[in-house]
Amino acid sequence: MGTGHFFWVIFYFASLCSASLANNAKINFREKEKKVLDQILGAGKYDARIRPSGINGTDGPAVVSVNIFVRSISKIDDVTMEYSVQLTFREQWTDERLKFDDIQGRLKYLTLTEANRVWMPDLFFSNEKEGHFHNIIMPNVYIRIFPNGSVLYSIRISLTLACPMNLKLYPLDRQICSLRMASYGWTTNDLVFLWKEGDPVQVVKNLHLPRFTLEKFLTDYCNSKTNTGEYSCLKVDLLFKREFSYYLIQIYIPCCMLVIVSWVSFWLDQGAVPARVSLGVTTLLTMATQTSGINASLPPVSYTKAIDVWTGVCLTFVFGALLEFALVNYASRSGSNKANMHKENMKKKRRDLEQASIDAASDLLDTDSNATFAMKPLVRHPGDPLALEKLRQCEVHMQAPKRPNCCKTWLSKFPTRSKRIDVISRITFPLVFALFNLVYWSTYLFREEEDE
């Protein structure tokens, strides 16, 4: 009997232990979370209108740490001077009123989806034009409350932000677009924003933009003072470099080709008037269309851009080629008129000489037989025109021979003045355009390095 009684006692204690373990295993920690939330956020226990105390429970300003994660940058618009960005925005601060028991580390944090249940910093984006939250499938926002009273707020938002640009070096420029965050109503005596230590700004890997490259970003503070007080402000400066390859293919190379095509007119015959006129007018209209298309994609700024200098000079070269043909045509017509006048004068002189010889012969036939011939004097008088002519010839032969001018000698191979204008244009236009390219690229690339 004693042995049986001992066995039943052991069995009873074993049953009690198994029951207690089963009860522990059935604890619902989600139910514990609800009780904790009711305790810290219950009516009369927490007021979301009152800001948290300062560091270590002092009466100083509440400190909010901020960090952002840039998910994408969809566009950078030069005309409206704005850019669109999608980011995950996070704020973290300490509210000692929200401390709770973590049940020996089993409750790591509490999660809320209603931001109005706790006090929130009144942060806003000062350079925002448009913005919206994301609500698919559920609102992309959460609030985590940690046992020590720390609160983490995270939300995904899309913003369209203003970005004032300086387009003097366009399209060889770099632009700085800022993201500014400030407190709307709380002054620095009550609320201070700080960048989170370590890595305050994160950017998604393999960020692709159609015409820009994100070179780097810088974080800074931009506190502002107004007549109502000083307000805490944070900013991120995003440095974008414009991709030049697109503009090289779409603008610079086509403009160069149009200028070179306009030079073909110099190699056509000066008599091919329809061909030269149609070539000049076509290239001029094409260049004007190209220039208007470029200006349509840019804002009407008051200063001169680098692309304006390029298109303006190219348009001038094309227009100059058309004016060159007008000059050639005028020189050709004036040269032909002078040649015709010279031929008429030569014919007239020839007729006068023939008439004079006929008159002299008739005079000789009319003289009588007693006429004597006049003898030429042996000594010429100083005023004799024949003696002066001989003296000039001697002086010419006595002068030292001049060195031949290479340019004049080469140009003398082309008999007409119009042909000489074409030949000079074939050399002058390419040389001047090459000099312009040297000055243009060296100037703007050097200025780009200075700005960098």
Side-chain angles (χ1 to χ4, degrees), residues 169 172-174 176 239 441-452:
L169 298 180
L172 300 169
D173 57 335
R174 284 179 169 85
I176 298 178
L239 178 59
W441 295 113
S442 60
T443 300
Y444 283 102
L445 291 178
F446 180 71
R447 288 180 61 182
E448 182 186 9
E449 291 177 357
E450 283 186 346
D451 292 345
E452 183 179 3

Side-chain angles (χ1 to χ4, degrees), residues 353-384:
L353 290 174
E354 291 176 356
Q355 185 64 33
S357 61
I358 292 173
D359 293 341
S362 61
D363 290 341
L364 290 174
L365 292 175
D366 291 339
T367 55
D368 52 4
S369 60
N370 293 327
T372 58
F373 294 95
M375 300 297 294
K376 294 182 180 180
L378 296 177
V379 180
R380 298 290 182 181
H381 296 286
D384 193 354

Side-chain angles (χ1 to χ4, degrees), residues 202-236:
Q202 299 172 335
V203 180
V204 65
K205 294 182 179 179
N206 302 323
L207 179 64
H208 294 290
L209 297 173
R211 298 185 186 180
F212 288 87
T213 300
L214 179 60
E215 287 192 331
K216 59 182 179 180
F217 52 86
L218 301 173
T219 58
D220 200 358
Y221 296 91
C222 55
N223 291 4
S224 60
K225 291 183 179 181
T226 65
N227 56 2
T228 58
E230 181 180 2
Y231 297 89
S232 183
C233 175
L234 304 177
K235 74 171 182 176
V236 185

Side-chain angles (χ1 to χ4, degrees), residues 98-109:
L98 299 177
K99 289 182 178 181
F100 63 90
D101 184 14
D102 60 354
I103 312 177
Q104 298 179 356
R106 295 185 179 183
L107 283 180
K108 295 183 178 180
Y109 53 82

Side-chain angles (χ1 to χ4, degrees), residues 397-431:
H397 287 292
M398 290 176 64
Q399 291 178 356
K402 296 181 179 179
R403 295 182 179 180
N405 193 332
C406 298
C407 295
K408 291 183 178 180
T409 304
W410 178 65
L411 290 175
S412 63
K413 298 179 181 179
F414 306 99
T416 60
R417 188 171 59 178
S418 59
K419 189 66 176 178
R420 293 175 185 174
I421 295 174
D422 270 341
V423 172
I424 293 173
S425 299
R426 295 173 190 175
I427 300 173
T428 304
F429 274 72
L431 286 179

Side-chain angles (χ1 to χ4, degrees), residues 1-261:
M1 293 295 293
T3 304
H5 181 71
F6 179 73
F7 174 78
W8 285 108
V9 171
I10 294 175
F11 179 77
Y12 176 73
F13 280 106
S15 299
L16 290 177
C17 291
S18 62
S20 63
L21 291 174
N23 291 332
N24 290 334
K26 293 180 181 179
I27 294 176
N28 189 349
F29 289 98
R30 304 289 78 78
E31 186 68 23
K32 292 288 184 181
E33 290 182 10
K34 177 181 179 303
K35 292 181 180 180
V36 171
L37 287 175
D38 291 339
Q39 290 175 2
I40 62 178
L41 298 177
K45 294 184 179 181
Y46 185 87
D47 193 346
R49 298 173 297 177
I50 308 301
R51 71 168 180 87
S53 58
I55 299 176
N56 298 325
T58 61
D59 195 30
V63 178
V64 179
S65 298
V66 176
N67 74 307
I68 60 175
F69 174 65
V70 180
R71 293 182 173 272
S72 65
I73 300 175
S74 58
K75 70 172 182 177
I76 301 176
D77 197 337
D78 299 317
V79 178
T80 57
M81 291 193 179
E82 62 185 20
Y83 73 105
S84 299
V85 60
Q86 182 187 127
L87 50 87
T88 298
F89 176 74
R90 304 186 186 97
E91 295 177 308
Q92 192 166 8
W93 66 94
T94 300
D95 193 342
E96 294 185 353
R97 297 172 295 175
L98 299 177
K99 289 182 178 181
F100 63 90
D101 184 14
D102 60 354
I103 312 177
Q104 298 179 356
R106 295 185 179 183
L107 283 180
K108 295 183 178 180
Y109 53 82
L110 303 174
T111 302
L112 295 177
T113 56
E114 299 176 359
N116 58 356
R117 297 288 301 275
V118 297
W119 176 87
M120 293 291 298
D122 60 343
L123 181 141
F124 77 105
F125 298 92
S126 58
N127 59 334
E128 172 206 353
K129 287 187 174 181
E130 295 179 359
H132 67 274
F133 300 126
H134 293 265
N135 297 319
I136 300 175
I137 298 176
M138 291 293 292
N140 299 162
V141 58
Y142 67 81
I143 299 175
R144 291 177 181 175
I145 303 175
F146 294 89
N148 62 350
S150 178
V151 181
L152 174 63
Y153 174 73
S154 177
I155 188 170
R156 186 165 74 99
I157 53 179
S158 292
L159 300 170
T160 300
L161 304 167
C163 179
M165 299 181 183
N166 186 355
L167 300 174
K168 289 184 178 179
L169 298 180
Y170 177 90
L172 300 169
D173 57 335
R174 284 179 169 85
Q175 300 298 335
I176 298 178
C177 295
S178 299
L179 174 63
R180 295 175 177 266
M181 300 162 285
S183 173
Y184 188 80
W186 299 97
T187 64
T188 53
N189 296 326
D190 298 313
L191 178 62
V192 172
F193 290 110
L194 297 177
W195 285 113
K196 184 180 179 180
E197 295 181 359
D199 196 6
V201 178
Q202 299 172 335
V203 180
V204 65
K205 294 182 179 179
N206 302 323
L207 179 64
H208 294 290
L209 297 173
R211 298 185 186 180
F212 288 87
T213 300
L214 179 60
E215 287 192 331
K216 59 182 179 180
F217 52 86
L218 301 173
T219 58
D220 200 358
Y221 296 91
C222 55
N223 291 4
S224 60
K225 291 183 179 181
T226 65
N227 56 2
T228 58
E230 181 180 2
Y231 297 89
S232 183
C233 175
L234 304 177
K235 74 171 182 176
V236 185
D237 290 332
L238 304 173
L239 178 59
F240 295 102
K241 179 182 179 182
R242 197 181 298 272
E243 288 290 346
F244 180 69
S245 58
Y246 169 81
Y247 300 93
L248 179 65
I249 297 172
Q250 296 294 327
I251 296 177
Y252 284 88
I253 293 179
C255 289
C256 282
M257 294 173 64
L258 286 174
V259 173
I260 294 173
V261 168

